[in-house]
């Protein structure tokens, strides 16, 4: 079967999707359930309906577009990714897996392929942690990793809870119905940009993911004492921001201390209250991201950060509360999918290499309920979560070809 990718159509859809943004181009900001995210969802549903895919949206907003196979009693093969984007991001993270998945389905149809298993395209809700502090909200719930009860406790930065936000987005279903049983899918495969430099450096067009690193996130709230920036003398201060600054430095040290290049830790959020130049900060809230491909080493970093918090508490006479947002295990890709990917690359004459994903993805959670794998395509200079994120059209095309071929293999 000939797989012909309609690249100009796919690129124009990526461009249109990027226009649903709260930041001026080339930046993309699309936070889950913002008006831009809702408009993007409407656009996607229209595209899915144009190819007569059967649509379903669950209570947390995960969207499913199904091409029914000749034997609908068999577990479907699934693909997909996310379309929410972190503040000031680019246009390819997640979207290549969603629109590329759609183009893979269209290409298979054009080629006259008729799947035995249904092929389902998924758009996951809130892979990015921007709004609720926790990543992969939709796939976490699908896989049963986040219970409906715990999901109901989630609040955004304005204190609005998840269910209230879902109702405003006209999602009125029961969160109890989101979870899918193990075995619901025969396999799941996600196409994504690498978000790192290896493929580009090695000049290899496709990466076959063997494992996904273990992510964790902490929220650290520091309460000190506010006051007048002129009147309170330095020895009398309990400045919450300075305590936060010491903790942020300890986060960096925790990652460096492992002496492993696979250990990374980032303080990406620091909110200071009351936020006036002439007021001493009374409260600071940090959000900290910690990852490693080795679970014990990742947990070691979390421990080091906790003990640094204790030291800072005593030294600066502040109160520190640590909330663990998530601490996930790494995922291993399934041989069913990695072998299918290897075979498809070989059949298409596309060079590939095995690699670890240091970023997390919805695949991390899909792997809990289905044989899962991912394929990566290069992105320029390894840049992601930045407006200058870029994937070359030819690389996107090759990724879609491989994805289509793998879906066909797995759905036969
Ligand atoms: C996903 O966006 C991640 O932060 O790895
Ligand atoms: Mn991302
Ligand atoms: Mn992503």
């Amino acid at each position: 079967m000939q797989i012909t990718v309609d690249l100009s159509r796919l690129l124009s859809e990526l461009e249109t999707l990027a226009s649903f943004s709260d930041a001026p181009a080339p930046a993309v900001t699309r936070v889950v359930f913002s008006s831009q995210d809702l408009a993007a969802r409407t656009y996607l549903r229209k595209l899915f309906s144009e190819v007569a895919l059967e649509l379903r949206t669950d209570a947390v907003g995960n969207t499913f577009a199904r091409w029914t196979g000749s034997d609908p009693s068999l577990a479907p093969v699934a693909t997909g990714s996310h379309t929410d984007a972190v503040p000031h991001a680019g246009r390819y993270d997640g979207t290549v897996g969603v629109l590329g998945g759609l183009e893979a389905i269209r290409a298979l149809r054009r080629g006259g392929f008729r799947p035995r298993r249904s092929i389902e395209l998924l758009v996951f809700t809130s892979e990015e942690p921007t709004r609720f502090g926790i990543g992969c909200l939709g796939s976490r719930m699908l896989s049963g990793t986040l219970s409906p009860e715990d999901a109901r406790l989630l609040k955004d930065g304005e204190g609005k809870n998840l269910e209230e936000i879902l109702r405003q987005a006209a999602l009125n279903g029961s969160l109890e119905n989101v979870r899918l049983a193990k075995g619901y899918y025969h396999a799941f495969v996600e196409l994504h940009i690498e978000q790192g430099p290896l493929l580009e450096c090695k000049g290899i067009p496709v990466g076959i993911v063997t494992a996904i690193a273990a992510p964790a996130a902490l929220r650290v709230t520091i309460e000190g004492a506010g006051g007048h920036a002129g009147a309170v003398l330095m020895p009398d201060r309990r400045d919450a921001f300075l305590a936060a600054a010491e903790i942020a430095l300890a986060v960096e040290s925790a990652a460096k201390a492992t002496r492993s290049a696979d250990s990374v830790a980032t303080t990406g959020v620091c909110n200071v209250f009351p936020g006036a130049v002439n007021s001493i900060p009374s409260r600071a809230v940090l959000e900290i991201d910690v990852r490693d491909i080795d679970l014990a080493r990742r947990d070691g970093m979390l421990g080091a950060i906790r003990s640094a918090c204790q030291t800072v508490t005593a030294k600066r006479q502040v109160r520190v509360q640590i909330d663990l947002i998530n601490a996930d295990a790494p995922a291993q890709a399934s041989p069913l999918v990695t072998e299918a990917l290897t075979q498809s690359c070989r059949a298409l004459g596309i060079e590939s290499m095995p690699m670890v994903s240091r970023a997390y993805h919805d695949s991390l959670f899909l792997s809990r309920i289905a044989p899962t794998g991912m394929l990566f395509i290069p992105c320029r200079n390894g840049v992601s979560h930045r407006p200058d994120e870029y994937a070359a059209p030819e690389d996107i095309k090759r990724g879609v070809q491989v994805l289509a071929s793998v879906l066909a293999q797995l759905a036969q």
Side-chain angles (χ1 to χ4, degrees):
M1 179 194 26
Q2 188 69 21
I3 300 172
T4 327
V5 174
D6 186 342
L7 187 58
S8 59
R9 178 177 183 174
L10 173 54
L11 293 177
S12 115
E13 288 168 350
L14 282 165
E15 187 169 344
T16 304
L17 188 50
S19 71
F20 297 105
S21 168
D22 278 314
V28 177
T29 297
R30 197 165 44 243
V31 176
V32 70
F33 300 132
S34 61
S35 58
Q36 294 295 344
D37 178 56
L38 295 175
R41 285 164 180 261
T42 304
Y43 169 64
L44 290 170
R45 277 196 300 272
K46 180 175 140 291
L47 292 183
F48 299 160
S49 316
E50 278 168 13
V51 258
L53 298 177
E54 198 184 301
L55 295 187
R56 170 172 92 87
T57 303
D58 71 13
V60 75
N62 292 313
T63 301
F64 307 73
R66 181 175 291 206
W67 178 13
T68 306
S70 61
D71 187 349
S73 69
L74 296 175
V77 172
T79 187
S81 195
H82 64 99
T83 55
D84 62 323
V86 295
H88 223 63
R91 68 163 64 162
Y92 301 95
D93 176 3
T95 55
V96 166
V98 171
L99 291 171
L102 175 62
E103 179 52 24
I105 288 175
R106 289 188 301 226
L108 289 174
R109 283 218 168 141
R110 280 195 298 271
F113 179 72
R114 181 86 178 89
R116 193 161 69 92
R117 293 178 185 277
S118 299
I119 296 181
E120 188 147 275
L121 175 62
L122 278 78
V123 189
F124 297 102
T125 287
S126 196
E127 191 263 358
E128 305 292 5
T130 314
R131 185 153 190 184
F132 297 105
I134 190 160
C136 299
L137 173 59
S139 51
R140 228 175 244 281
M141 291 198 72
L142 270 190
S143 64
T145 312
L146 179 71
S147 68
E149 299 77 47
D150 287 342
R152 283 191 189 95
L153 300 176
L154 293 174
K155 285 190 170 43
D156 72 0
E158 290 171 8
K160 275 194 192 167
N161 72 42
L162 175 65
E163 277 194 319
E164 192 183 337
I165 292 163
L166 290 172
R167 275 195 299 277
Q168 280 170 3
L171 292 162
N172 298 307
S174 163
L175 291 177
E176 263 68 25
N177 298 334
V178 171
R179 184 174 186 172
L180 298 178
K182 203 168 179 159
Y184 181 86
Y185 289 121
H186 173 64
F188 177 77
V189 53
E190 179 173 1
L191 165 65
H192 206 282
I193 57 167
E194 181 197 342
Q195 306 184 285
L198 287 184
L199 292 172
E200 188 183 59
C201 287
K202 293 189 187 293
I204 295 182
V206 167
I208 297 178
V209 172
T210 53
I212 303 176
L218 297 169
R219 183 177 295 119
V220 178
T221 307
I222 301 124
E223 301 278 356
H228 194 286
V232 183
L233 299 183
M234 299 313 280
D236 302 328
R237 294 191 180 199
R238 296 193 293 123
D239 184 321
F241 170 68
L242 293 179
E246 288 205 40
I247 292 169
L249 289 172
V251 167
E252 182 192 35
S253 303
K256 287 188 165 170
T258 72
R259 299 193 174 280
S260 165
D262 294 322
S263 304
V264 287
T266 308
T267 305
V269 171
C270 176
N271 290 321
V272 175
F273 184 83
V277 68
N278 53 351
S279 289
I280 299 161
S282 60
R283 185 170 68 238
V285 180
L286 301 178
E287 287 181 10
I288 299 166
D289 177 300
V290 183
R291 312 184 192 203
D292 205 306
I293 54 172
D294 182 279
L295 186 58
R297 211 165 43 210
R298 197 278 315 275
D299 287 343
M301 286 190 277
L302 290 176
I305 294 167
R306 283 180 186 280
S307 84
C309 287
Q310 274 180 357
T311 310
V312 171
T313 302
K315 178 177 164 195
R316 290 192 171 268
Q317 299 295 295
V318 291
R319 276 203 318 273
V320 175
Q321 181 185 318
I322 304 172
D323 294 307
L324 182 67
I325 309 294
N326 62 288
D328 302 302
Q332 302 301 318
S334 157
L336 173 76
V337 181
T338 53
E339 281 160 22
L341 283 164
T342 307
Q343 202 174 314
S344 287
C345 288
R346 207 174 291 136
L348 291 162
I350 295 174
E351 200 183 351
S352 68
M353 62 178 259
M355 61 193 306
V356 165
S357 171
R358 293 166 194 284
Y360 57 71
H361 301 282
D362 295 300
S363 287
L364 184 69
F365 295 98
L366 266 288
S367 74
R368 319 278 201 244
I369 56 164
T372 293
M374 295 188 75
L375 71 147
F376 279 171
I377 56 167
C379 54
R380 190 173 57 199
N381 299 327
V383 162
S384 185
H385 286 188
R386 272 176 29 184
D388 55 338
E389 180 181 85
Y390 177 77
E394 277 308 306
D395 287 322
I396 295 175
K397 181 176 168 184
R398 269 189 289 264
V400 174
Q401 280 174 327
V402 176
L403 179 63
S405 157
V406 165
L407 291 175
Q409 258 193 80
L410 293 169
Q412 250 159 21

